[in-house]
Amino acid sequence: MYKEPPPGQRFIPNFIIYRVLGQPRICINEWTLRITGNVERELVYTYEDLLKMDNITVRSDFHRVTCWSVRGVEWSSIPLRRLVDEAGVKLGVKWAYIISLDGYTTIVPFEDFISEKSILALKINGKILSPEQGFPARIIIPHLYGWKSAKWVKEIVFMDKYVDGYWETLGYHWRGNAYLNERFKEIRE
Ligand SMILES: Nc1nc2c(c(=O)[nH]1)N[C@H]1C(S)=C(S)[C@@H](COP(=O)(O)O)O[C@H]1N2
Ligand SMILES: [Mo]
């Protein structure tokens, strides 16, 4: 956690819920998380599988690209690095493309995906995620802006090549590091 907010950000007390594509309906007995793409083993986890895995808690600030941040949020569950190891992500993978139940997509650099504080969050501040917060599972990579924090995750695809997700198509940054003020893609001539 950092004392000062990143450039251009202001702290506010609570989350403002955001759902560009509406609230998906989740039937937890049918939900799975799939790990696919350039991996040794494609994996399918049920919610119960994930609950049984070792978990960690990460305390971090949450930054939205619309310039507000929330201080000191505790997220817990599985380090993303663990999923990478279990699937045996192949050499040459540079991107993790994330697909959600509502059809939302986003992409993050592999390097950020496996950083120490990157987790698949099942809980926020000690409680199971609420439906609007992304139940059953959400990606948390604390140093990236909130749009990289896909809610209602259903699949993670490891790829060598970059493709745009939902906001990236509209001009938002390929990485989106809040501390480097990476909001938009650079305009190339
Ligand atoms: N599946 C999905 N994930 C999503 C979104 C979405 O619309 N669908 N919105 C994103 C955006 S733009 C932001 S800023 C954060 C907002 O998180 P919050 O709703 O918990 O505040 O969720 C991100 N994750
Ligand atoms: Mo956002």
Side-chain angles (χ1 to χ4, degrees), residues 18 64-66 104 146-147 167:
Y18 207 71
R64 277 275 300 267
V65 73
T66 39
Y104 185 84
W147 92 82
W167 286 112

Side-chain angles (χ1 to χ4, degrees), residues 15-22 24 62-66 68 75 99-106 124 132-134 138 145-153 166-167:
F15 279 75
I16 301 170
I17 296 297
Y18 207 71
R19 289 168 280 213
V20 280
L21 302 168
F62 187 83
H63 310 293
R64 277 275 300 267
V65 73
T66 39
W68 57 260
W75 304 96
I99 306 171
S100 297
L101 281 174
D102 56 344
Y104 185 84
T105 53
T106 190
I124 177 170
E132 63 274 15
Q133 283 164 332
R138 155 172 210 168
Y145 285 115
W147 92 82
K148 301 288 184 179
S149 173
K151 306 193 275 188
W152 316 295
V153 180
Y166 180 87
W167 286 112

